[in-house]
């Protein structure tokens, strides 16, 4: 995992197999975003066996195969989808193409696990919902800033235990480093979806999850291109405020302004306020501690004020739960309604955003 480039975020697997050899077979199709390595690595840690990889770009499949010796490089997408042994297909295609890929996967009788954002328009959302209802397959989403971060997992456990009482508000920051070498599609709004749809989807999913809400309203959202005139369709800043259906609120900010001097690709943080206390997460680093490992969580409530360092302590239970959900047709990892609601609110935040820099 690169500490300087969020697009390659892929924590080392924490082995916690829930199935035996050959019981759950996966494939990777669509390697346009580096998150595919985190998706596949998490599933392998849960006991899945990787059988196939396909992408039209032979360089991408060669690099993927170098990381996963023994995987078969398919000659076409159809070769993967026609294999009856494959239970689930993981994909990280261009954002605007993820829904169409998912529909093809589900129509082939397989579950689908896509990188966030899972889609870019409300029309795609309607098509995805229809395909799920029609096929009975899963359209799972890799919201990695909660699912693949140990502080985020531990925060969920603390909230479930009542450590901070009822959650009233979630504040999240999701800064990223723009870096160099981004593909052309990354700067085309129709293809990447806009900043609130894209990396904002992480934050909205966390607000939904930690507040325990099933729906919400985007009260205000904003985007801007403050500093990248050479890429006029790029949003380099975005924020939004939400009011949830249970009365809780959420605010988040995401941006592409991580400075080069920072030790990692983004100082991701969140503050979760409850009636009986609060939780702060410093997910990836500690300022002033070069090459810090991150994984810091702070809890204050009526009984204690505690700092936790969680790297290697909690693991990532989502992946094992997803494997078992696919086999047992349950919804313990994440409900389909939740995955789609986070996507819906992200698209709506983007659609209704005020452009602070006056673009049309």
């Amino acid at each position: 995992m690169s500490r300087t480039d969020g697009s390659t975020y892929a924590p080392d697997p924490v082995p916690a197999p829930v199935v035996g050899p050959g019981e759950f077979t996966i494939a990777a199709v669509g390697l346009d975003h580096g998150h595919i390595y985190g998706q596949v690595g998490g599933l392998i840690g849960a006991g899945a066996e990787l059988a196939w990889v396909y992408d039209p770009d032979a360089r991408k499949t060669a690099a993927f195969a170098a990381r996963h010796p023994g995987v078969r490089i398919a000659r076409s997408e159809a070769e993967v989808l026609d294999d009856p042994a494959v239970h689930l297909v993981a994909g990280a295609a261009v954002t605007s193409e993820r829904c169409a890929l998912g529909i093809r996967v589900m129509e082939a009788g397989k579950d689908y696990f896509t990188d966030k954002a899972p889609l870019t328009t409300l029309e795609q959302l309607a098509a995805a919902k229809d395909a799920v209802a029609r096929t009975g397959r899963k359209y799972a989403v890799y919201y990695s800033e909660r699912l693949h971060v140990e502080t985020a997992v531990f925060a969920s456990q603390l909230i479930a235990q009542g450590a901070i009482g009822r959650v009233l508000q979630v504040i999240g920051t999701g800064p990223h480093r723009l870096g160099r070498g981004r593909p052309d599609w990354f700067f085309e709004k129709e293809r990447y979806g806009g900043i609130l749809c894209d990396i904002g989807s992480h934050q909205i999913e966390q607000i939904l999850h930690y507040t325990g809400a099933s729906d919400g309203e985007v009260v205000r959202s904003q985007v801007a291109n403050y500093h990248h005139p050479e890429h006029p369709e790029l949003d380099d800043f975005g924020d939004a405020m939400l009011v949830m259906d249970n009365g809780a609120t959420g605010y988040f900010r995401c941006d592409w302004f991580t400075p080069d001097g920072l030790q990692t690709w983004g100082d991701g943080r969140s503050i979760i306020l409850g009636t009986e206390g609060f939780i702060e997460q410093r997910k990836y680093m500690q300022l002033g501690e070069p090459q810090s490992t991150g994984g810091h969580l702070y809890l204050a409530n009526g009984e204690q004020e505690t700092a936790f360092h969680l790297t290697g302590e909690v693991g990532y239970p989502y992946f094992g739960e997803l494997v078992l959900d696919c086999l047992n047709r349950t919804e313990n990892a994440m409900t389909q309604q939740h995955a789609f609601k986070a996507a819906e609110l992200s698209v709506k935040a983007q659609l209704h955003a005020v452009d602070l820099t006056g673009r049309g």
Side-chain angles (χ1 to χ4, degrees):
M1 177 179 69
S2 170
R3 287 178 52 81
T4 61
D5 181 3
S7 70
T8 61
Y9 181 75
D12 292 335
V14 177
V18 297
V19 290
E23 292 182 10
F24 192 79
T25 302
I26 64 172
V29 174
L31 310 181
D32 293 287
H33 197 293
H35 281 174
I36 191 66
Y37 290 98
Q39 295 169 254
V40 168
L43 291 168
I44 291 174
E49 290 193 359
L50 176 65
W52 293 100
V53 62
Y54 174 72
D55 189 277
D57 188 335
R59 293 170 299 178
K60 293 175 183 174
T61 55
F64 187 89
R67 289 271 294 271
H68 296 284
V71 67
R72 289 175 286 176
I73 298 176
R75 293 165 294 182
S76 67
E77 178 185 298
E79 189 171 12
V80 176
L81 299 186
D82 289 343
D83 184 351
V86 174
H87 294 90
L88 175 146
V89 174
V94 173
T95 315
S96 60
E97 299 171 10
R98 289 171 185 170
C99 178
L101 171 60
I103 292 172
R104 295 194 298 272
V105 169
M106 292 187 292
E107 288 179 340
K110 306 178 191 311
D111 292 315
Y112 180 51
F113 182 36
T114 181
D115 187 19
K116 67 77 221 157
L119 41 83
T120 57
T121 70
L122 295 178
E123 292 76 16
Q124 290 176 11
L125 176 62
K129 287 182 174 180
D130 176 73
V132 167
R134 178 163 36 84
T135 65
R137 310 313 299 178
K138 295 182 181 295
Y139 194 113
V141 184
Y142 182 57
Y143 293 114
S144 60
E145 290 188 19
R146 181 175 68 85
L147 305 176
H148 224 163
V149 174
E150 288 184 283
T151 62
V153 175
F154 190 58
S156 296
Q157 295 170 356
L158 290 173
I159 291 168
Q161 294 163 12
I164 61 170
R166 174 191 170 196
V167 173
L168 305 176
Q169 185 186 53
V170 177
I171 299 175
T173 61
H176 284 60
R177 175 176 284 126
L178 189 59
R180 299 174 179 82
R182 297 277 180 174
D184 291 343
W185 65 266
F186 177 83
F187 301 101
E188 300 171 14
K189 186 162 288 189
E190 184 176 352
R191 302 182 76 192
Y192 81 91
I195 195 169
L196 300 178
C197 175
D198 178 24
I199 54 178
S201 66
H202 285 301
Q203 302 299 325
I204 288 178
E205 190 277 332
Q206 289 174 86
I207 292 169
L208 273 169
H209 174 77
Y210 289 132
T211 62
S214 59
D215 203 349
E217 178 186 359
V218 180
V219 176
R220 169 83 178 187
S221 56
Q222 306 169 136
V223 297
N225 183 329
Y226 284 125
H227 195 60
H228 297 87
E230 71 278 18
H231 299 299
E233 295 187 31
L234 175 70
D235 299 331
D236 59 20
F237 174 92
D239 69 354
M241 177 180 176
L242 293 86
V243 176
M244 315 314 291
D245 62 356
N246 59 4
T249 66
Y251 169 81
F252 72 90
R253 186 204 83 229
C254 46
D255 64 75
W256 291 101
F257 286 111
T258 293
D260 288 344
L262 198 73
Q263 62 189 270
T264 188
W265 52 270
D267 185 12
R269 301 192 183 200
S270 76
I271 297 174
I272 306 169
L273 173 67
T275 55
E276 309 298 330
F278 67 86
I279 293 167
E280 179 180 349
Q281 298 179 52
R282 300 182 185 179
K283 296 181 176 180
Y284 309 115
M285 56 163 286
Q286 282 281 52
L287 279 170
E289 298 181 10
Q291 299 300 307
S292 60
T293 58
H296 297 272
L297 182 144
Y298 304 92
L299 168 68
N301 60 16
E303 299 177 356
Q304 60 184 324
E305 174 189 310
T306 310
F308 298 89
H309 187 206
L310 300 166
T311 300
E313 299 295 323
V314 180
Y316 312 109
Y318 169 82
F319 299 96
E321 292 170 351
L322 177 59
V323 168
L324 293 177
D325 280 347
C326 292
L327 291 174
N328 300 327
R329 312 319 294 170
T330 51
E331 286 195 318
N332 296 314
M334 180 185 296
T335 68
Q336 189 65 75
Q337 188 274 340
H338 178 90
F340 279 151
K341 182 57 65 176
E344 175 189 335
L345 293 175
S346 302
V347 172
K348 287 181 175 178
Q350 187 72 45
L351 285 173
H352 302 309
V354 174
D355 195 310
L356 300 175
T357 43
R359 294 172 296 170

